[in-house]
Amino acid sequence: MSFLELPLELRLIIYEHAAVEGAAVTIGVCELTGKGADIVHRVYGDERAPLPGLPPNHEPAVISTYSSRLLSVSDPARVDASSASSPALHHSTLSSLLLLNHQTNAELSTHFRPKNNKDTSLFVQYPLGLHVFKTKCPDLIQHARSIHIAGSCPKPTSQSDLDHLDQLAGLVSTTLAKSPRFPIEKLEARIYFPGENSYPRVWDDSSPASVILRNVCGGFIDMEVARGRHGTGVYVSVRSHPDNKRVISTVWRRLVEGDHGQPSCGDWAVDKQWPEWNSEFTPSSPLP
């Protein structure tokens, strides 16, 4: 007996067990390297097309595990275009089932209501990972217990840079507004601002830290600002408050990086304890 010959009630039970995500999903982009012909085939071969909104020679990546490399600022993820592997795109189980065939799609759309199994931590590269999240896998928000954002924030130079801020604002509002559609336990963002004089940009209206603060209705908001010679790091941690009160604390630290024997510039953006995280706020270790 084939799967589609089983009673509908039994198939719905199987769908319920199948539509569960893993402990971590990482969302970002990879730069394509190698010969020009290989890059063109990687982007356009087999009826593929580049994802609008990404820089040339970049492809989206959605990985069903934690990948610090995909989040890295100092050593961004790259893929050899001559590699035989296909683009690293993970689709949620539910979205894959919807694409299986017409009957499965109809059954899921009409009869199936997935359980709210908020067990997955989403790790999102900033800023392009937000675009990939919105366009390729928005349904993953239904499974999110926490969201962790990491990346670099150069000074905005185009409309696409502002679009990323709108996507961030929408994500925060969806998960941490007064009556969020998809509530989560915690959102944290570790954003690196490159440049010796980058500190003032932390508080600009176009700063992701400012966007998060504007779109959080209430909660425990803890901020750390790490200032260094080569750049500034901002860590924002937001947890829901039972009474929707807004409680904010901020500390300043020294950021040591970029010189001989020190971490590379931007390493700070990726938390060394990830994919592990605490539901409470955990301050960074003091720097020497």
Side-chain angles (χ1 to χ4, degrees):
M1 178 181 292
S2 70
F3 174 75
L4 293 178
E5 292 175 327
L6 295 171
L8 174 59
E9 293 78 5
L10 183 54
R11 292 202 299 275
L12 292 175
I13 293 174
I14 295 173
Y15 293 148
E16 184 177 294
H17 286 281
V20 175
E21 290 303 312
V25 175
T26 311
I27 305 166
V29 300
C30 295
E31 180 184 2
L32 297 174
T33 62
K35 297 180 179 178
D38 291 333
I39 293 176
V40 171
H41 177 75
R42 176 87 174 201
V43 175
Y44 295 97
D46 300 325
E47 300 184 349
R48 290 191 294 266
L51 178 65
L54 295 190
N57 301 339
H58 283 71
E59 68 178 18
V62 183
I63 302 175
S64 57
T65 186
Y66 173 70
S67 171
S68 60
R69 181 69 185 283
L70 198 56
L71 303 173
S72 177
V73 171
S74 60
D75 187 19
R78 296 177 175 86
V79 173
D80 185 351
S82 64
S83 171
S85 62
S86 59
L89 277 176
H90 162 77
H91 297 281
S92 71
T93 305
L94 181 57
S95 63
S96 298
L97 288 171
L98 287 168
L99 295 172
L100 188 60
N101 57 47
H102 291 296
Q103 180 177 340
T104 302
N105 184 289
E107 291 175 353
L108 289 167
S109 301
T110 305
H111 303 289
F112 182 64
R113 296 295 180 269
K115 283 188 174 181
N116 191 15
N117 65 300
K118 311 284 280 186
D119 295 326
T120 303
S121 293
L122 301 181
F123 294 86
V124 185
Q125 180 263 343
Y126 184 89
L128 295 175
L130 291 170
H131 180 61
V132 175
F133 187 6
K134 181 179 179 180
T135 55
K136 286 293 185 181
C137 52
D139 53 309
L140 287 176
I141 194 66
Q142 301 178 49
H143 304 275
R145 179 187 172 200
S146 63
I147 298 176
H148 313 264
I149 301 170
S152 178
C153 183
K155 190 173 182 179
T157 57
S158 65
Q159 180 60 43
S160 62
D161 294 328
L162 300 178
D163 291 342
H164 300 142
L165 296 174
D166 290 339
Q167 291 160 357
L168 176 60
L171 180 60
V172 175
S173 298
T174 300
T175 55
L176 290 163
K178 186 174 182 180
S179 299
R181 184 180 179 190
F182 300 109
I184 60 175
E185 288 186 24
K186 186 177 185 178
L187 179 143
E188 55 182 359
R190 299 180 66 90
I191 308 297
Y192 181 74
F193 294 77
E196 182 179 1
N197 300 313
S198 56
Y199 176 74
R201 294 194 4 252
V202 170
W203 312 109
D204 284 350
D205 287 343
S206 60
S207 162
S210 298
V211 170
I212 292 173
L213 291 175
R214 286 198 301 268
N215 288 277
V216 171
C217 178
F220 297 100
I221 304 170
D222 296 283
M223 299 185 62
E224 290 187 3
V225 182
R227 302 183 63 178
R229 292 179 55 238
H230 305 287
T232 306
V234 177
Y235 171 39
V236 183
S237 168
V238 184
R239 296 166 290 131
S240 60
H241 191 289
D243 300 320
N244 278 323
K245 292 182 178 180
R246 192 178 176 94
V247 182
I248 302 179
S249 67
T250 307
V251 297
W252 281 261
R253 300 190 186 279
R254 185 160 63 100
L255 181 59
V256 178
E257 61 171 7
D259 295 327
H260 180 71
Q262 298 175 354
S264 299
C265 292
D267 273 0
W268 174 93
V270 179
D271 194 325
K272 302 305 180 186
Q273 75 167 344
W274 287 348
E276 301 298 326
W277 58 276
N278 296 316
S279 56
E280 300 296 319
F281 171 67
T282 304
S284 302
S285 300
L287 293 171

